Amino acid sequence: MADETPKAKELIGQLDHRPPAQHWMDVPVNIRKGMYCYASNPKSVEYLGLPNARPWNPVEDDWKLPENWQQILHEGFKERLEKFRSIKVFMDICVRCGACADKCHFFIGTGDPKNMPVLRAELLRSVYRNDFTTMGKLLGRMAGARPMTMSVLKEWWYYLFQCTECRRCSLYCPYGIDTAEITMFGRELLNLLGLNIDWIATPVANCYRTGNHLGIQPHAFKDMLDFFVDDIEEITGVRMEPNFNQKGADILFITPSGDVFADPGTYTAMGYLMLFHFLKEKYGLSVTWSTYASEGGNFGSFTSHETMKRLNAKMYLEAKRLGVKWILGGECGHMWRVINQYMDTMNGPADFLQAPVNPITGTRFENAASTKMVHLTEFTADLIKHGKLDLDPSRNDNKIITFHDSCNPARGMGMFDEPRYVIKNVANHFYDMPANTIREQTFCCGSGSGLNAGENMEMRMAGGLPRANAVKYVHEKFGVNMLACVCAIDRAALPASMDYWVPGMQVTGVTELVANALILPGEQERTTDLRGEPLPGMEEADE
């Protein structure tokens, strides 16, 4: 946690949700330390083929823009209005009712009116009215219009990167406006000027080069999984032999690289290995990992539609190269929104793959008939439902669990019940958070959409307040000590948020819980879980 980040009580104390005295157009933008991410590395911008790659600093007056930057934005706006009908509709139909205002975690956590989804969209909509509507041209500010100026541009950049594209606001919009689409649109315009953040641009550039956001080479990716194999053998006495780049395997498995290289996601990755070993030993299922398509996440969805399309395509190209039947995807967020909501338009249908059928249970995953990609959690739930896994839930008895519905798997693909079904079958103590904070109404972790950096910690903690508040409720009422999720960004972001707001709360992936309970063929008596912590009743044996 950065030293300058306010303490939790200080952050709460400075909240003020009262309407401001000034009209929002008269409030100048204040780009404040702790509330923004660093500018993108020019090398990454150049590698991605995006324009105007140069070093620049958001807090300096001169952003080193091309002389015709206003014209570039105007033409980019016009082109996208013609290309994406949804943007034109979203610009026109909002009546500014404010139903979305108090639904945004960033507005709740900061009190900044420009973090209301309606007003964040109005930052773009006001320029749209000025440039593309008759009333805006005639009446100007009276019609909610304003010209594009340097101050407006800075507002765009500052507030469009204070949106995690979680789409909670869209759930409450009576007109169905998808504010996340507006944010994506606005960021795409900013990219025309080379205005991105490094936590997005560099991971995407890495993914172009090496197949994953972290820039890990194939041999290093394999080495990391081999380390997990050693750790698993020490805990269970069983030696795993994962397949890499195996042609003709039944299934290609792809997961976010964060699971392979960042705690606590690493324990989830160990869980993947254990589950696949069990299925191979008991049922002969062949699952392969790819060291080339080694990233399921899609930071392209925070950059541009073309980048999103390219990153999604690599998974399917690798599946075609290896000749697998279908793809199994790990615990990720944006990967699943892209697959479920954009895949067919961008890269699909994937007719060279088979419609996914679980070869162990015979279940046909109809929801994946076109994309040919199944979420690991629904796959695991199907195995449990048909009694195909040997489980000892008591191994998780020291964990009192609640579940965070990750925004994209929840609102983006409607996966609400499967994670809870799995958790309840591998653990004995589970409590849901309040109903208006879960399932389709779930609150964001506060750090998605490329905002999980270290320099914007105050913004992250403010955005994480609503989720943490719901966790704190079940922590105090039921003694919950473990927050489960099915998203690598959540596993990377929530530990800091929990340490800040609910000290002592741990974060886990669902598959880590499965692996703790999974009884492997030929395993030794286990005394610890995957984290090396004593299993219930094994405290003395571990000493």
Side-chain angles (χ1 to χ4, degrees):
M1 190 71 65
D3 293 337
E4 60 271 17
T5 303
K7 302 298 182 184
K9 289 185 178 179
E10 296 172 349
L11 195 57
I12 291 290
Q14 68 188 28
L15 279 178
D16 185 359
H17 293 95
R18 291 175 297 179
Q22 291 177 284
H23 189 279
W24 69 268
M25 288 189 188
D26 297 326
V27 179
V29 64
N30 176 26
I31 299 178
R32 186 165 58 83
K33 189 175 181 180
M35 295 294 289
Y36 70 92
C37 296
Y38 295 146
S40 49
N41 187 318
K43 291 183 179 179
S44 298
V45 175
E46 186 176 8
Y47 193 88
L48 295 175
L50 296 173
N52 202 29
R54 82 285 180 206
W56 64 286
N57 191 331
V59 298
E60 294 179 356
D61 291 335
D62 184 6
W63 280 16
K64 302 178 182 178
L65 302 174
E67 290 185 5
N68 64 334
W69 67 268
Q70 290 160 308
Q71 180 185 352
I72 292 172
L73 286 181
H74 177 84
E75 291 177 354
F77 213 131
K78 181 180 179 182
E79 177 188 346
R80 284 156 182 79
L81 287 172
E82 295 171 353
K83 185 176 181 180
F84 303 113
R85 184 170 56 181
S86 60
I87 295 299
K88 178 72 165 61
V89 171
F90 294 160
M91 289 293 104
D92 286 332
I93 66 173
C94 177
V95 296
R96 291 174 279 184
C97 67
C100 62
D102 62 344
K103 309 306 186 295
C104 176
H105 49 285
F106 281 122
F107 174 64
I108 295 172
T110 66
D112 187 337
K114 291 178 184 176
N115 269 326
M116 294 179 183
V118 58
L119 191 43
R120 192 186 295 114
E122 201 71 10
L123 302 180
L124 282 82
R125 194 175 283 118
S126 58
V127 175
Y128 163 76
R129 294 193 188 100
N130 184 81
D131 289 9
F132 300 104
T133 71
T134 301
M135 293 300 291
K137 291 175 181 178
L138 291 174
L139 300 178
R141 179 164 166 161
M142 290 179 60
R146 60 177 181 167
M148 171 55 73
T149 64
M150 192 64 203
S151 178
V152 171
L153 180 67
K154 289 186 175 183
E155 272 187 336
W156 279 21
W157 184 85
Y158 191 51
Y159 288 104
L160 289 175
F161 287 104
Q162 289 186 41
C163 171
T164 52
E165 301 177 9
C166 79
R167 301 169 70 240
R168 189 174 195 264
C169 54
S170 303
L171 186 72
Y172 295 90
C173 177
Y175 294 94
I177 296 172
D178 189 339
T179 308
E181 289 279 353
I182 296 175
T183 295
M184 292 165 67
F185 161 67
R187 289 186 181 183
E188 193 163 320
L189 293 179
L190 291 173
N191 270 294
L192 298 177
L193 303 178
L195 299 175
N196 207 318
I197 62 173
D198 199 50
W199 203 250
I200 292 176
T202 293
V204 175
N206 286 339
C207 215
Y208 274 23
R209 280 193 295 267
T210 68
N212 59 71
H213 292 150
L214 301 177
I216 304 301
Q217 298 289 342
H219 64 277
F221 184 86
K222 181 181 181 301
D223 286 346
M224 196 65 190
L225 290 181
D226 287 341
F227 290 142
F228 296 158
V229 167
D230 292 339
D231 291 342
I232 293 169
E233 183 177 19
E234 184 176 340
I235 294 169
T236 68
V238 177
R239 185 74 183 177
M240 318 264 120
E241 294 183 359
N243 292 324
F244 296 97
N245 308 317
Q246 179 189 348
K247 290 191 174 183
D250 294 322
I251 295 169
L252 169 63
F253 177 69
I254 300 178
T255 195
S257 57
D259 279 345
V260 181
F261 293 96
D263 291 343
T266 51
Y267 305 113
T268 299
M270 292 169 67
Y272 300 150
L273 290 167
M274 293 171 66
L275 178 63
F276 299 152
H277 176 83
F278 178 93
L279 299 177
K280 179 181 178 181
E281 291 296 304
K282 197 149 187 179
Y283 304 107
L285 183 66
S286 174
V287 178
T288 189
W289 299 64
S290 170
T291 58
Y292 300 99
S294 52
E295 180 64 70
N298 195 321
F299 273 35
S301 60
F302 317 140
T303 308
S304 72
H305 287 79
E306 288 304 313
T307 309
M308 186 198 316
K309 176 180 178 179
R310 179 170 172 176
L311 295 187
N312 186 65
K314 76 181 187 303
M315 301 189 297
Y316 288 89
L317 291 171
E318 183 68 346
K320 190 172 186 177
R321 184 183 77 87
L322 295 177
V324 298
K325 296 176 182 176
W326 49 275
I327 307 173
L328 186 64
E331 298 184 13
C332 183
H334 33 81
M335 171 174 79
W336 285 106
R337 186 182 178 206
V338 172
I339 290 165
N340 279 271
Q341 297 188 305
Y342 297 102
M343 163 60 189
D344 278 352
T345 301
M346 291 181 167
N347 306 109
D351 290 337
F352 59 90
L353 296 172
Q354 297 180 16
V357 175
N358 189 331
I360 298 170
T361 66
T363 297
R364 182 181 177 89
F365 295 98
E366 297 290 351
N367 59 308
S370 178
T371 65
K372 312 298 193 296
M373 193 161 176
V374 175
H375 195 293
L376 183 71
T377 305
E378 59 185 334
F379 179 69
T380 304
D382 180 59
L383 292 169
I384 292 174
K385 181 179 179 180
H386 289 87
K388 300 300 183 181
L389 298 183
D390 300 330
L391 301 167
D392 180 3
S394 69
R395 290 177 177 173
N396 286 313
D397 274 354
N398 55 355
K399 299 171 178 63
I400 305 174
I401 303 162
T402 193
F403 180 69
H404 163 67
D405 291 274
S406 304
C407 299
N408 287 311
R411 279 187 288 268
M413 66 181 296
M415 193 173 72
F416 307 126
D417 296 320
E418 292 89 343
R420 290 172 170 82
Y421 178 81
V422 171
I423 292 171
K424 291 175 183 179
N425 277 276
V426 301
N428 292 317
H429 307 294
F430 175 81
Y431 297 94
D432 251 328
M433 287 178 272
N436 63 342
T437 70
I438 60 173
R439 295 180 177 264
E440 66 273 12
Q441 299 182 68
T442 187
F443 276 110
C444 179
C445 67
S447 301
S449 190
L451 304 185
N452 188 30
E455 64 268 18
N456 63 334
M457 196 58 75
E458 181 179 344
M459 181 177 76
R460 287 177 51 194
M461 295 305 101
L465 171 60
R467 169 43 75 223
N469 193 45
V471 174
K472 186 176 181 180
Y473 173 81
V474 291
H475 172 66
E476 294 178 346
K477 185 169 184 178
F478 303 113
V480 166
N481 58 19
M482 185 65 79
L483 177 60
C485 58
V486 288
C487 173
I489 292 294
D490 288 334
R491 283 189 289 279
L494 285 170
S497 182
M498 292 301 104
D499 287 345
Y500 187 81
W501 293 112
V502 195
M505 184 66 58
Q506 291 187 296
V507 179
T508 181
V510 169
T511 305
E512 178 186 346
L513 299 173
V514 173
N516 283 336
L518 190 63
I519 303 171
L520 296 173
E523 70 174 26
Q524 66 190 21
E525 183 182 17
R526 287 202 228 172
T527 60
T528 71
D529 60 18
L530 295 186
R531 303 188 184 197
E533 298 172 356
L535 293 175
M538 292 291 181
E539 291 79 7
E540 294 183 3
D542 189 55
E543 296 175 358

